[in-house]
């Protein structure tokens, strides 16, 4: 098969690995830009999107927009970046005009906003205000989704993602990249919270994600991490149909963030191999494969690549 270099829609790194705290229990730490490039060499990834995380729920220390931009300046041929803003920024108000900051980061080359990890309901006025500002300046947003407030990081929705649906339909110009377990769990029909929180390896009975992707052209799928990878690998027949129908709005990704990696097994390698194999065996067309692992990112992020 023709070798296609992949583009990673979702990764995290720090330019200051010597300063960032290690995880108390397992001594993992955020990896450096150079370490991430080392993994990209092994995974045959040409370029990745660096996502800052600024809300305190997700980590011990903020990973800022400025740090992401700094790493892009060091390695402009390997990285692009999103900026990030906590919706409580500048006076903790639902009326703050964030377009000023968004335009600032956009002028420095930011391609979007995320990963949004604040643990607040999606339709909290403060968060909705930030989404509206992103729609206004055409900044796509990568969301990490959680099931409740407290004990999680990520924006909160109920079973069946009704609040996300309302948001997507209210702001048709807002582009959302869906990510995390509680987003991709909805690929299958879910009966209750237990199923929503549980591990996800059974065959897919088409659920909320398929319907939302059909009804909301502004919803995109970030296939990174165990969540996105599992949603595809759990049921290759369904994955082939899903990837073919939504070939223009799905993105390959890794969500590599720590070293040594927290991924169970060899997830980034397994998922890359899974996609390669889907194309090699003809379960998806070469056209669909190329879009998902590379071409969609080039178009969506306006990258200077072929
Ligand atoms: Zn992430």
């Amino acid at each position: 098969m023709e070798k296609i270099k992949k583009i990673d829609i979702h990764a995290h790194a720090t330019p200051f690995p010597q300063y960032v705290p290690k995880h108390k229990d397992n001594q993992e730490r955020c990896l450096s830009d150079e370490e991430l490039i080392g993994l990209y060499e092994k995974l045959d990834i040409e370029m990745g999107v660096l996502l800052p995380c600024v809300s305190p729920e997700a980590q011990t220390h903020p990973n800022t927009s400025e740090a992401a931009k700094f790493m892009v300046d060091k390695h402009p041929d390997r990285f692009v970046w999103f900026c990030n803003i906590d919706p409580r920024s500048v006076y903790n108000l639902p009326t703050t005009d964030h377009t000023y900051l968004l335009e600032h980061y956009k002028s420095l080359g930011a391609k979007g906003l995320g990963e949004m990890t604040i643990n607040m309901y999606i339709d909290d006025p403060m968060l909705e205000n930030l989404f509206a500002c992103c729609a206004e300046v055409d900044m796509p947003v990568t969301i990490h989704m959680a099931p409740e407030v407290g004990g999680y990081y990520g924006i909160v929705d109920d079973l069946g993602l009704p609040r996300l649906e309302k948001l997507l339909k209210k702001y048709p110009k807002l582009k959302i990249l869906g990510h995390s377990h509680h987003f991709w769990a909805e690929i299958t029909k879910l009966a209750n919270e237990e199923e929503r929180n549980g591990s996800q390896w059974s065959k897919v009975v088409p659920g909320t994600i398929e319907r939302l992707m059909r009804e909301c052209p502004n919803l995109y799928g970030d296939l990174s991490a165990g969540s996105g990878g599992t949603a595809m690998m759990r049921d290759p027949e369904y994955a082939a149909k899903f990837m073919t129908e939504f070939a223009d709005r799905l993105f390959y990704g890794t969500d590599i963030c720590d070293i040594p990696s927290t991924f169970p097994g060899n997830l980034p390698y397994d998922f890359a191999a899974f996609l390669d194999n889907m194309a090699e065996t003809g379960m998806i067309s070469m056209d669909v494969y190329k879009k998902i692992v590379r071409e969609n990112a080039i178009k969506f992020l306006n990258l200077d690549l072929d």
Side-chain angles (χ1 to χ4, degrees):
M1 190 177 78
E2 185 191 349
K3 260 282 172 211
I4 308 285
K5 284 203 175 289
K6 296 183 175 70
I7 295 174
D8 180 6
I9 198 72
H10 189 137
H12 307 278
T14 176
F16 315 117
Q18 68 275 40
Y19 303 142
V20 298
K22 288 182 181 165
H23 193 281
K24 199 166 86 197
D25 302 326
N26 56 19
Q27 293 294 295
E28 282 168 355
R29 65 155 170 79
C30 188
L31 80 178
S32 72
D33 40 350
E34 276 82 15
E35 287 164 336
L36 182 55
I37 290 170
L39 290 174
Y40 278 0
E41 289 298 312
K42 292 185 196 159
L43 285 158
D44 212 17
I45 294 171
E46 180 169 0
M47 197 173 236
V49 182
L50 294 174
L51 302 179
C53 289
V54 294
S55 303
E57 290 90 334
Q59 72 252 57
T60 49
H61 58 284
N63 193 348
T64 64
S65 305
E66 290 75 12
K69 165 65 173 155
F70 182 77
M71 291 183 280
V72 169
D73 286 348
K74 274 167 78 186
H75 309 284
D77 52 335
R78 298 315 290 262
F79 299 124
V80 288
W81 62 296
F82 279 17
C83 66
N84 211 333
I85 299 172
D86 187 290
R88 294 164 293 199
S89 296
V90 195
Y91 306 125
N92 201 24
L93 285 171
T95 48
T96 300
D97 180 5
H98 296 292
T99 60
Y100 170 78
L101 256 182
L102 290 167
E103 292 285 12
H104 164 76
Y105 288 130
K106 207 175 178 179
S107 75
L108 292 171
K111 302 284 187 182
L113 182 138
E115 172 178 0
M116 192 179 261
T117 53
I118 189 166
N119 193 212
M120 189 183 256
Y121 272 100
I122 293 183
D123 47 5
D124 182 287
M126 212 135 36
L127 192 45
E128 187 170 333
N129 175 49
L130 178 56
F131 279 125
C133 291
C134 289
E136 198 180 320
V137 303
D138 193 22
M139 288 285 246
V141 183
T142 298
I143 57 167
H144 183 109
M145 191 159 271
E148 60 187 56
V149 175
Y152 287 91
Y153 65 92
I155 62 172
V156 180
D157 203 350
D158 312 314
L159 186 68
L161 310 179
R163 297 169 199 247
L164 176 64
E165 178 172 356
K166 235 167 100 189
L167 182 82
L168 288 162
K169 290 178 176 170
K170 184 168 171 186
Y171 300 97
K173 283 196 185 138
L174 174 67
K175 296 178 187 135
I176 293 276
L177 290 139
H179 157 74
S180 87
H181 174 91
H182 289 91
F183 178 81
W184 284 112
E186 302 274 358
I187 192 112
T188 201
K189 252 200 175 72
L190 299 171
N192 51 42
E193 291 294 331
E194 203 183 322
E195 283 188 17
R196 188 189 190 203
N197 294 328
S199 72
Q200 296 277 336
W201 283 100
S202 54
K203 282 260 178 199
V204 169
V205 180
T208 299
I209 297 300
E210 183 179 296
R211 183 178 64 75
L212 284 187
M213 290 290 285
R214 279 198 191 130
E215 290 179 16
C216 307
N218 50 338
L219 177 62
Y220 297 77
D222 167 336
L223 294 174
S224 70
S227 52
T230 306
M232 299 297 108
M233 292 189 285
R234 62 187 285 175
D235 185 343
E237 283 77 33
Y238 179 75
K241 271 193 267 171
F242 183 83
M243 288 195 272
T244 303
E245 178 169 355
F246 305 112
D248 294 322
R249 284 186 282 142
L250 297 173
F251 302 92
Y252 165 75
T254 66
D255 201 3
I256 292 170
C257 51
D258 291 322
I259 211 153
S261 171
T262 50
F263 289 108
N266 267 330
L267 189 99
Y269 299 93
D270 289 351
F271 186 50
F274 170 82
L275 291 173
D276 295 352
N277 186 260
M278 292 286 278
E280 268 158 20
T281 57
M283 282 186 80
I284 54 173
S285 69
M286 233 6 236
D287 198 36
V288 167
Y289 171 79
K290 281 199 247 178
K291 282 182 178 180
I292 292 173
V293 303
R294 183 175 176 92
E295 290 171 357
N296 288 345
I298 292 176
K299 210 166 134 193
F300 190 71
L301 304 169
N302 197 18
L303 305 179
D304 198 14
L305 293 174
D306 300 325

